[in-house]
Amino acid sequence: MANLPIRGLGSVGFMPDVSPYDLPLNAYSRADNVLFEDGKVKRGFVFRTISNFIDDYVTTASVVSKDNTGQDNFYICDLALNVKRYYNGAFNTQINSTYSTVNNTPSSAGTPTNGAVLGDVVYFNKGDETPIYKLTGENFFRELYPKAGAEAGVTSTWGDASTAWKCKALRPFGDFMVALHMSEGAASYPARVRFSDPVTIGQPALDWDASDTTNSAGFTDLAQLEGGIVDGLSLGNQFIIYGKNEAWLMDFVGGQFIMNFRRLYADQGVININCVKEIDNSHYVFGADDIYRHNGTQKETISDGRVRDFIFNNIASNTEDLCFVHHSERFKKLFFCFQSTDPHATWIHSSYCNRAAVYDYAANTWSFIDLPNVVSSGEANVGSSVAFDTIAQSLSYAEIGGTYDDTAAPDIRNEVFFNTYTRIEAPSSTVSYPVGSSDVHYERTENSFLALDTVLSTTSVVSPAEAKMNALPKLERTGIDLDEAGLETRRYKNLSALYPQMTSLTNSTVNISVGAADLPNNAPNYTTSYDFDPATEYHLNTRASGRYLSYKLETSNVTDDFEISGLDAEFLTTGKR
């Protein structure tokens, strides 16, 4: 019999846009809730529950501002511009504005929200409402234009008493605040860029009067931009403005014009607000039909030929306003979050995001993670801890996560995601819960504050990884024709044994199924299914036979942690039919 060694199983990743029979041997046709790192395939991230909200609070944006002790003040904002603060391991009660009641009538749905911090001042903005801000030392938010009863001496030129201004996005750029896609009273200016007078530490951006020659505030209408501005973000000492299908560059030049504008790209924009991240002087962008990066000059796709078609063919219709991007500095990953209709998704009929395409920008690999109806994300030191006497006896160390040291390390920044229980369902084949019209999933009646963490290696969050919030890992490779071994496609391959180079970090088994198909586009018939124990076994026997071989790996518990870097396949070729 012939032996074929396959190594570096974690070096290529998930490539659903390529036909399985055209993939290299160490690439995969399905990769759910796994990661490709260090040449290995690993169990992917899990969500640990930090807190549940007793009210129907749907968090749409968050920002972090440090206090004078270095502790994070983590502010979250909902669809109605209600704000809460997470500090020292707990949420404070709502800290909404004392001076914000006259013109703001925020709805509970609709336009996306964004947050920003400049000069220690915290801002939240929702495109159909007046922006709000909070000063250091105050425990409430004000509208950007002061309302009746506001503190004496507070003045603003963000509109006036009879003309409320609103913007689709509010972003910092150097010492300026930049407002994009303006509504000024009854007039709409979708291609307008406004910038404030520069601010100093502790000073809010209140001066927006472009007619005042003593300041540097101003505005420009990008008349050539089609479809309106969607968002913008700083890139080094420049600012990039994105439409749906184009991008513009804004430079600070000073003098009479203050800012200079020019078109950067005419063929790529951004799919939604909160869909651009800056990493190493480049923007990574969730575009309307591609995921790409650029440095203000050169632009390149990072998804085409690998996952682009799979993502954009499966984004649910009319849900682009739910998309967002999360950057994990800790794990060196980007999460492109969206609502998906793909057949591999665990949670279907979600109201918000149920999938994330995870890009490892260090290893240049893609994988996918199931999201439990996630609305938004952020980064904060969650300061989690669990009392021993509150832990269910059935929970393992891996299910709790973290270490004693982590409870005393408030400077650790964790990835946090916000989930809502509303309309989150799973296929009946996945859980014992029917697909119907119910608004409750897994008996959930609360929205949750979740931390993204590993199962065991490098875990840092001391909170449980509930099965209710996590999907099982699934790794599959189909269409193996062994042409790398010089075999003709028409020959039958009889696979007799596999020798996985695998480790289980939780001393658990991994189910390995082996199968085959006779035609390239046929679903494989899995004839072997075996619970493999890496601690005591080194191979499994199989009798899979066909022109195209397949194998898949699964676990039965969300906290089973494993790694696989290679395998040997022992096979025999037979007749030509």
Side-chain angles (χ1 to χ4, degrees), residues 267-410:
D267 60 345
Q268 285 292 351
V270 70
I271 193 169
N272 189 33
I273 190 172
N274 302 320
C275 284
V276 186
K277 293 295 181 181
E278 182 182 5
I279 304 170
D280 296 334
N281 298 314
S282 289
H283 273 187
Y284 287 74
V285 188
F286 196 164
D289 61 5
D290 196 7
I291 297 176
Y292 64 98
R293 66 181 164 213
H294 71 89
N295 58 10
T297 304
Q298 298 175 316
K299 172 171 61 71
E300 63 176 343
T301 179
I302 60 173
S303 67
D304 192 29
R306 294 194 283 177
V307 297
R308 175 184 172 183
D309 292 346
F310 185 79
I311 292 171
F312 290 96
N313 289 343
N314 287 302
I315 293 179
S317 300
N318 303 314
T319 62
E320 291 85 355
D321 62 342
L322 303 180
C323 297
F324 68 94
V325 178
H326 176 81
H327 174 214
S328 168
E329 293 187 29
R330 176 187 170 197
F331 296 116
K332 308 299 181 188
K333 305 284 193 296
L334 282 161
F335 296 72
F336 297 89
C337 305
F338 60 102
Q339 187 182 119
S340 179
T341 61
D342 80 78
H344 298 167
T346 296
W347 290 296
I348 61 174
H349 304 308
S350 295
S351 302
Y352 294 95
C353 295
N354 62 351
R355 292 282 263 175
V358 183
Y359 180 64
D360 185 323
Y361 53 85
N364 189 28
T365 58
W366 286 94
S367 59
F368 276 67
I369 185 173
D370 287 290
L371 302 177
N373 210 29
V374 164
V375 184
S376 62
S377 66
E379 273 194 333
N381 45 35
V382 298
S384 62
S385 62
V386 179
F388 179 80
D389 58 1
T390 67
I391 301 174
Q393 293 184 6
S394 60
L395 293 180
S396 68
Y397 177 83
E399 290 173 298
I400 295 298
T403 66
Y404 175 80
D405 289 341
D406 294 322
T407 66

Side-chain angles (χ1 to χ4, degrees), residues 13 29 43 52 60 70 75 125 163 183 199-200 203 239 323 361 395 400 413 459 474 535 557:
S29 40
R43 200 282 183 239
N52 294 316
T60 59
Y75 297 96
N125 177 68
T163 306
S183 295
V199 302
T200 57
Q203 173 192 350
F239 189 86
C323 297
Y361 53 85
L395 293 180
I400 295 298
R413 281 277 175 90
T459 179
K474 295 183 180 180
N557 298 301

Side-chain angles (χ1 to χ4, degrees), residues 142-164:
R142 307 169 184 266
E143 285 187 322
L144 199 53
Y145 187 81
K147 299 303 171 189
E151 182 180 344
V154 178
T155 59
S156 170
T157 52
W158 177 264
D160 55 43
S162 60
T163 306

Side-chain angles (χ1 to χ4, degrees), residues 64-69 71 73 75 85 95 117-123 133-142 151 200-204:
V64 172
S65 177
K66 285 190 175 294
D67 65 13
N68 55 13
T69 69
Q71 178 75 20
N73 283 287
Y75 297 96
R85 183 182 71 149
I95 55 172
V117 178
L118 179 63
D120 293 335
V121 178
V122 176
Y123 299 84
Y133 70 93
K134 177 190 172 300
L135 300 176
T136 302
E138 294 185 342
N139 197 36
F140 54 84
F141 278 75
R142 307 169 184 266
E151 182 180 344
T200 57
I201 297 294
Q203 173 192 350

Side-chain angles (χ1 to χ4, degrees), residues 24 114 122 146 296 324 409 421 431-432 465 547:
N114 82 276
V122 176
F324 68 94
Y421 70 90
V431 295
S432 57
R547 293 188 181 93

Side-chain angles (χ1 to χ4, degrees), residues 519-538:
L519 298 175
N521 296 314
N522 281 8
N525 177 27
Y526 285 102
T527 56
T528 300
S529 180
Y530 184 74
D531 288 332
F532 182 77
D533 186 351
T536 60
E537 298 173 292
Y538 71 96

